[in-house]
Amino acid sequence: MCSSNSSYTMKTLVLLFILGLTNSRISYASIIGYAGSFNVLDYGAAADGITDDSQAFLNAWNDACSSAGGSPEVIIPPNMIFLLSPVTFRGPCNSENIYFVISGRLVAPSSPGIWTGQDASQWLAFRNVSGLIVDGSGTIDGQGQGWWDQSCRYHPDMEGCTRLAPTALKFIFCSQSSISNIYFGNSAQTHILIERCNGFKVDSVMIESPGNSPNTDGIHIQSSQYVAITNSKISSGDDCISIGDYTSNVQIYNIQCGPGHGISIGSLGKGGNFAQVENIHVSNAFFYGTTNGARIKTWQVGRGYVRDVIFENLEFNSVKNPIIIDQNYCDVRGACKEMVTGVQISNVIYQNIFGTSSTNIAINLNCSMSVPCTDITMQLIQLTSATPGTATPGREVTAYCRNAYGQEYSIEPGPCISEY
């Protein structure tokens, strides 16, 4: 009988110890090395959309990140609103994979003043994490209106107008990582930034910001390799997807873009920088009412190269510049003087492309006289006017090519490209 009581007492003490750990800021899971779930509510998140929950998120992340073995999960539960100040989730973590499951709604502070004394370029960020998997059915709401209202782009005469605003979510030095199924809305500036990452996938995300919101790129890739963006819908006030310097091996597949500025390589070479962009493949994309479609844009003062690019299986609906290369970009648009510098653009393929242009020039390859575009291939392209008149079908729009060399087959409008 005495032995039974002792056993019961010991079990009770163990249970009380476990409960004490669970209710403390140091989770039981992290103490015993079990890679389990780390719910932000257990770390004191108020989830009322008013109280700052940043510290609760950081505490949950730090416990999950330090958990050994398995695949720990940070859980943001559904049907709740979490207000977060600027916060960075840092690695490296102990486990091979770590999940960040967003089922609720994350909202940014509505006032730009919250960023006083902090890095105005970012709201949420993951840094130096390998095997990160961000997933869920939740929302990331940048509440960008306050920033847009003081943007220098639309209010250049406003004292203290803003040129730099927060990116909603940054991934920096994140390898073999991914984000999927998240809804992004109204970022102050760029929605997703992938920077200095090796092996990153974006799948089935939806991004929505007004077409007149300033500099709200959907996804920007910078200095990264082996990136895939698939099965996503992007509406924004700037590029749906943009590709920056030192980026290679990018696959973009099954994208809906519009409104926005299209899918762009560049701008590259600003300030005389050396650009290195190669092995870019864009396929099965639909553009609706965008400023550009498939675009490559480089600064006249730039150096380096863009090479081995494929744009294929694209559909345009009333796009201003369906196919465009601008190798003569400069500070004063329309007043660019010829320069001996330039970013070399070569081995670019456009194939199986059709749709309508809302301007007269459907194909515009404005290449440099000093560093011309070479090995350009165009085949199976059919572009017509979005507002057809009485002209012969297919002849209502034109093609303009300058210093562009290569070959073309079955092109309308055309011919355009110069042979060697």
Side-chain angles (χ1 to χ4, degrees), residues 52 54 58 84-88 109 114-115 118-119 122-125 166:
D52 188 347
S54 302
L58 271 176
L84 299 180
S85 293
V87 61
T88 299
I114 297 294
W115 274 261
Q118 301 192 63
D119 181 0
Q122 83 174 42
W123 172 32
L124 306 176

Side-chain angles (χ1 to χ4, degrees), residues 180-234:
S180 56
N181 301 312
I182 305 296
Y183 174 88
F184 286 81
N186 300 319
S187 180
Q189 205 153 303
T190 300
H191 290 78
I192 300 174
L193 171 67
I194 301 165
E195 182 177 355
R196 286 172 282 179
C197 296
N198 188 358
F200 198 98
K201 184 173 183 179
V202 180
D203 181 67
S204 300
V205 302
M206 184 172 182
I207 296 173
E208 284 190 310
S209 287
N212 63 351
S213 54
N215 304 312
T216 53
D217 293 70
I219 302 170
H220 181 66
I221 310 166
Q222 183 76 31
S223 303
S224 296
Q225 294 75 44
Y226 298 100
V227 177
I229 302 173
T230 57
N231 308 315
S232 296
K233 183 177 180 180
I234 304 171

Side-chain angles (χ1 to χ4, degrees), residues 71-371:
S71 299
E73 298 179 331
V74 176
I75 302 297
I76 297 98
N79 305 316
M80 296 181 182
I81 302 174
F82 301 88
L83 175 67
L84 299 180
S85 293
V87 61
T88 299
F89 303 102
R90 298 182 182 276
C93 298
N94 289 335
S95 57
E96 184 175 348
N97 293 108
I98 181 167
Y99 287 79
F100 199 88
V101 183
I102 304 173
S103 300
R105 184 182 186 90
L106 312 186
V107 297
S110 59
S111 171
I114 297 294
W115 274 261
T116 300
Q118 301 192 63
D119 181 0
S121 75
Q122 83 174 42
W123 172 32
L124 306 176
F126 291 93
R127 189 178 186 93
N128 198 26
V129 185
S130 178
L132 171 66
I133 301 168
V134 179
D135 193 19
S137 57
T139 295
I140 295 178
D141 183 354
Q143 298 209 96
Q145 188 67 55
W147 292 92
W148 306 338
D149 289 344
Q150 63 184 39
S151 167
C152 294
R153 178 172 172 180
Y154 291 136
H155 308 282
D157 298 326
M158 176 187 290
E159 185 176 352
C161 68
T162 299
R163 297 188 183 278
L164 180 65
T167 292
L169 182 56
K170 289 184 177 182
F171 297 94
I172 305 169
F173 288 116
C174 292
S175 60
Q176 307 307 318
S177 298
S178 67
I179 181 170
S180 56
N181 301 312
I182 305 296
Y183 174 88
F184 286 81
N186 300 319
S187 180
Q189 205 153 303
T190 300
H191 290 78
I192 300 174
L193 171 67
I194 301 165
E195 182 177 355
R196 286 172 282 179
C197 296
N198 188 358
F200 198 98
K201 184 173 183 179
V202 180
D203 181 67
S204 300
V205 302
M206 184 172 182
I207 296 173
E208 284 190 310
S209 287
N212 63 351
S213 54
N215 304 312
T216 53
D217 293 70
I219 302 170
H220 181 66
I221 310 166
Q222 183 76 31
S223 303
S224 296
Q225 294 75 44
Y226 298 100
V227 177
I229 302 173
T230 57
N231 308 315
S232 296
K233 183 177 180 180
I234 304 171
S235 306
S236 70
D238 212 304
D239 294 324
C240 292
I241 300 171
S242 57
I243 298 168
D245 287 336
Y246 304 107
T247 298
S248 62
N249 299 296
V250 175
Q251 297 281 335
I252 299 171
Y253 176 82
N254 195 23
I255 303 298
Q256 293 185 50
C257 172
H261 294 180
I263 296 177
S264 297
I265 298 174
S267 60
L268 305 174
K270 186 175 182 179
N273 291 343
F274 190 91
Q276 291 178 297
V277 175
E278 59 186 328
N279 296 329
I280 311 297
H281 190 181
V282 179
S283 64
N284 292 71
F286 174 76
F287 302 81
Y288 181 81
T290 54
T291 304
N292 306 290
R295 175 168 68 162
I296 302 175
K297 181 173 69 172
T298 65
W299 289 76
Q300 284 184 305
V301 294
R303 298 170 296 126
Y305 57 81
V306 176
R307 64 192 183 197
D308 303 331
V309 177
I310 299 174
F311 292 104
E312 66 175 348
N313 304 328
L314 308 184
E315 180 180 353
F316 302 119
N317 188 325
S318 194
V319 172
K320 288 185 178 179
N321 302 294
I323 296 173
I324 180 169
I325 292 177
D326 186 359
Q327 209 178 359
N328 292 293
Y329 196 71
C330 64
D331 287 316
V332 183
R333 192 170 298 179
C336 305
K337 296 180 180 180
E338 283 288 345
M339 300 184 69
V340 296
T341 53
V343 176
Q344 174 69 59
I345 297 173
S346 64
N347 195 23
V348 181
I349 298 173
Y350 302 88
Q351 61 186 10
N352 196 26
I353 295 171
F354 66 96
T356 60
S357 172
S358 61
T359 60
N360 291 333
I361 302 177
I363 299 173
N364 187 353
L365 307 186
N366 180 21
C367 298
S368 165
M369 182 179 296
S370 301
V371 189

